[in-house]
Amino acid sequence: MPYELLTEDKVVPYLASLPELGRIFGSFDDIEVREIGDGNLNFVYFVTDRKDRARSAVVKQAVPYVRVVGESWPLTVERTRLEVMALRQERAICPQFVPEIYHWGEEMCVVVMQNLYQHKVVRGEIIKGVKFPRLVDHLTSFLARTLFHTSDFYLDQAEKKRQVGAYLNPELCKITEDLVFTDPFEENKTNSPNPRLGAEELERFRADPALKIAAAEMKHKFMTEAEALIHGDFHLGSYMANQEETYIIDPEFAYFGPMAFDVGKTIGNFLLAYLSQAYHRRQAGEDPRAFRGWLLQCAEDVWTGFAAKFEALWAEHMERFDRVYWSFPGGAEAAARWRAGFLDRVFHDALGFAGCVMVRRTLGLAKVADIAAIADLEARAALDRQALAIGRELLVQRDRLESIEDAVVLVLALAPNA
Ligand code: SR1
Ligand code: MG
């Protein structure tokens, strides 16, 4: 079937033509189709049997441009093929955290998958003040397992290089290189800062050599360190959860990059949520401290949980990289030192990436609703300033912060939990 843009009325006939969808939908005579309308890149439809909500699917189709901008920003539909590849590989490693794919239509660039109708997008729920007690445990298990099992610490040497080649994702990497690492650090037409942040204030923020060097260093790492298959867009909008389960969706930005990018993106997003809840909880008439404390704890636990789980996997499979280094008296201790040193480097890089994410989501294209959806621009500007200040310090001081606790102290100094 050659590429054709699906519209709501075409979704049901398309699904009905696929034999493999028969096991999901008994019949197609009473189906509701709803386009969710907030995809940055793609069209996404929820398709549900009105008589039985369990009979449902998500249909995602790539269009040959960036949806959020329009046809003036062309983008090949290759991203869906990479997303399907990543979903399959992640699901093979972590079946409990990744939705099942029912159908992949390469020519139509359509992927049909499990509808997580009992789960909600985490960002929207956190904005409303909902806690997810198991979220960080699940996120860190997913990160540790997927990153470890696609790294040189686990994969066969030739297989790793084959996978690096198979996952080259230059177009979506370029989006990240521009939108996360470049545009927010200069005056650029893609940026859309809160108008209450003055031009002089922004100029001062950008005319900071230490900030520029740090951003350039992080961008270089993103472009050159093919450590493991990273999700590439690992933020609160890419998790769907309820009180028991968590699913990770949307890996179209996946490629072999620095592990610290996914970890840092998560930390940065929890910090933005922490800042925003000083506003949202008060608007709801609540004392914000407990919920904000939970969000800050989440940011901290992302690092400690990831590091502990990754280290345990690595220690268990230490001989896979190369046994020669550890088979001597004292080898076990040397191996432990290497693991600690490696993870220390990932930690500092994760802080740098978290800083980039905070600056980007404050000034650049495609913000996060936590802060950007606050209609009171003065109230929002106070949070924007905190995000920029914390982002800057995380970037510039990343190598001086010895532990995640030190990073939390820094955050609390710039944005007290009051
Ligand atoms: C133009 S795409 C903008 C953003 O959408 C995705 O969710 C990524 O975060 C990307 O940077
Ligand atoms: Mg996404």
Side-chain angles (χ1 to χ4, degrees):
M1 196 180 287
Y3 184 86
E4 180 195 358
L5 184 63
L6 282 179
T7 46
E8 274 187 9
D9 56 313
K10 290 183 186 151
V11 170
V12 173
Y14 177 75
L15 295 184
S17 75
L18 305 171
E20 62 267 50
L21 267 288
R23 82 178 164 92
I24 307 299
F25 295 95
S27 76
F28 287 92
D29 52 13
D30 195 11
I31 302 286
E32 179 187 272
V33 179
R34 187 165 53 87
E35 210 281 307
I36 63 159
D38 68 351
N40 279 338
L41 299 182
N42 307 301
F43 283 86
V44 182
Y45 300 92
F46 284 164
V47 186
T48 311
D49 187 330
R50 288 193 181 87
K51 295 187 292 298
D52 180 359
R53 286 195 73 198
R55 292 181 179 276
S56 65
V58 163
V59 176
K60 183 167 179 178
Q61 185 179 38
V63 285
Y65 52 87
V66 174
R67 183 194 172 174
V68 75
V69 175
E71 292 181 41
S72 61
W73 187 340
L75 190 68
T76 71
V77 288
E78 162 76 357
R79 61 187 180 273
T80 316
R81 194 182 62 75
L82 287 160
E83 175 169 0
V84 167
M85 234 162 73
L87 280 168
R88 286 183 172 148
Q89 189 160 355
E90 290 166 352
R91 190 169 156 86
I93 300 169
C94 291
Q96 69 276 47
F97 300 135
V98 182
E100 181 185 350
I101 293 182
Y102 300 145
H103 167 80
W104 159 228
E106 183 148 16
E107 290 184 330
M108 285 282 284
C109 297
V110 169
V111 54
V112 184
M113 60 190 138
Q114 185 180 355
N115 185 3
L116 302 166
Y117 66 95
Q118 293 172 316
H119 307 75
K120 298 235 167 87
V121 176
V122 165
R123 186 183 305 287
E125 296 306 290
I126 283 184
I127 291 173
K128 288 187 231 159
V130 178
K131 280 186 188 170
F132 292 90
R134 308 190 64 188
L135 177 66
V136 171
D137 181 33
H138 294 160
L139 296 179
T140 53
S141 293
F142 175 89
L143 286 172
R145 288 185 212 168
T146 55
L147 297 176
F148 179 75
H149 286 100
T150 58
S151 73
D152 285 287
F153 302 134
Y154 185 81
L155 285 180
D156 163 75
Q157 173 271 350
E159 174 58 15
K160 161 79 182 337
K161 285 172 175 58
R162 188 196 67 74
Q163 290 193 23
V164 171
Y167 277 101
L168 290 182
N169 195 351
E171 279 192 303
L172 295 212
C173 284
K174 173 83 170 114
I175 289 178
T176 303
E177 287 155 21
D178 289 347
L179 296 187
V180 177
F181 298 107
T182 312
D183 300 359
F185 297 90
E186 63 165 7
E187 202 180 330
N188 190 293
K189 62 180 180 342
T190 65
N191 294 330
S192 55
N194 180 344
R196 293 294 191 277
L197 300 179
E200 273 178 31
E201 185 179 0
L202 291 178
E203 215 170 289
R204 248 193 334 271
F205 178 78
R206 289 177 181 131
D208 175 347
L211 179 71
K212 289 276 175 57
I213 292 168
E217 285 170 348
M218 299 322 296
K219 178 174 173 177
H220 184 254
K221 283 175 179 292
F222 180 83
M223 294 175 77
T224 58
E225 292 183 1
E227 276 180 340
L229 178 63
I230 69 170
H231 178 282
D233 201 21
F234 204 75
H235 60 80
L236 301 179
S238 295
Y239 321 140
M240 292 192 69
N242 57 29
Q243 295 299 296
E244 286 85 38
E245 295 177 317
T246 306
Y247 282 86
I248 316 299
I249 59 170
D250 283 359
E252 61 231 320
F253 284 78
Y255 80 111
F256 273 74
M259 303 180 188
F261 187 66
D262 281 354
V263 180
K265 220 172 185 197
T266 320
I267 293 171
N269 271 268
F270 276 116
L271 294 180
L272 289 169
Y274 164 77
L275 299 180
S276 76
Q277 286 300 330
Y279 177 83
H280 294 300
R281 288 306 92 226
R282 282 207 181 87
Q283 284 297 106
E286 296 167 22
D287 180 338
R289 286 175 294 183
F291 192 61
R292 296 186 82 204
W294 175 71
L295 288 165
L296 206 48
Q297 191 63 51
C298 286
E300 187 174 333
D301 293 348
V302 165
W303 173 254
T304 45
F306 165 75
K309 291 172 189 180
F310 190 93
E311 218 262 352
L313 281 168
W314 191 2
E316 189 188 328
H317 297 286
M318 202 67 201
E319 79 294 344
R320 287 186 76 103
F321 180 75
D322 210 326
R323 68 177 68 244
V324 67
Y325 304 112
W326 326 121
S327 51
F328 71 99
E333 199 202 21
R337 272 174 46 204
W338 186 40
R339 292 195 298 271
F342 177 88
L343 282 165
D344 190 52
R345 201 266 301 151
V346 175
F347 168 69
H348 296 298
D349 290 351
L351 294 185
F353 287 127
C356 288
V357 161
M358 294 183 78
V359 173
R360 175 270 171 106
R361 296 293 188 190
T362 306
L363 302 178
L365 182 77
K367 301 198 171 40
V368 289
D370 314 54
I371 296 178
I374 295 174
D376 176 344
L377 294 185
E378 285 301 336
R380 183 183 143 194
L383 304 177
D384 284 334
R385 289 189 182 104
Q386 288 180 333
L388 292 178
I390 294 169
R392 192 242 177 225
E393 294 308 308
L394 290 178
L395 268 160
V396 169
Q397 297 205 47
R398 67 188 189 281
D399 289 336
R400 286 188 287 276
L401 293 164
E402 298 273 333
S403 66
I404 191 69
E405 290 81 10
D406 284 0
V408 170
V409 168
L410 183 149
V411 170
L412 284 168
L414 293 167
N417 185 8

